């Protein structure tokens, strides 16, 4: 696949991921409340796991072709996970005087996203080994 084709896949995936982020944020705000950025937290955690899983399988095997891996990781996960929203929402908490919630958001999001990305890599390795 040429560069333009890969770019189109990434753009399409980004649109899908952004739409999913919007939906998850709305559902989270309605279900959990709007006093904390639950939607961004959820998509960052889920996206971190999925990007670890997909990258591990895609890089170590031929199960996921490069074009599909780009579509899923750079495209969908890139649109879904959003540290720009995370940063903005954390600073809004700080500006609102909610320093405790801001620090909880920073520490828990960072630690949990790293942990689930590690789990995604581990799950990818297990799936690849089970297939072999």
């Amino acid at each position: 696949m040429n560069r333009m084709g890969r770019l189109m896949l990434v753009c399409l995936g980004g649109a899908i991921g952004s739409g999913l982020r919007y939906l998850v944020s709305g559902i989270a705000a309605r279900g959990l409340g709007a006093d904390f950025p639950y939607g961004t937290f959820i998509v960052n955690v889920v996206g971190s796991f999925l990007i670890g899983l997909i990258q591990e399988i895609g890089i170590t095997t031929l199960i996921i072709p490069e074009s599909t891996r780009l579509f899923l990781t750079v495209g969908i996960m890139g649109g879904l996970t959003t540290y720009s929203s995370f940063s903005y929402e954390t600073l809004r908490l700080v500006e609102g005087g909610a320093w405790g919630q801001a620090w909880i958001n920073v520490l828990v999001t960072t630690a949990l996203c790293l942990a689930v990305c590690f789990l995604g890599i581990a799950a990818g390795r297990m799936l690849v080994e089970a297939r072999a």
Side-chain angles (χ1 to χ4, degrees), residues 32-118:
L32 301 171
D35 60 326
F36 187 81
Y38 293 107
T40 301
F41 177 78
I42 291 165
V43 297
N44 282 336
V45 171
V46 170
S48 293
F49 173 79
L50 290 175
I51 202 167
L53 176 70
I54 294 163
Q55 287 287 74
E56 183 63 26
I57 293 171
I59 290 172
T60 60
T61 72
L62 299 175
I63 295 171
I64 301 174
E66 180 189 2
S67 58
T68 303
R69 186 175 56 82
L70 286 172
F71 172 73
L72 294 171
T73 59
V74 179
I76 292 178
M77 293 307 113
L80 178 67
T81 62
T82 171
Y83 270 89
S84 57
S85 291
F86 162 78
S87 299
Y88 175 77
E89 291 166 347
T90 301
L91 290 175
R92 293 295 297 187
L93 289 170
V94 168
E95 288 176 347
W99 282 91
Q101 283 188 318
W103 277 112
I104 288 169
N105 195 32
V106 168
L107 296 173
V108 173
T109 297
T110 303
L112 193 53
C113 286
L114 288 172
V116 298
C117 187
F118 173 80

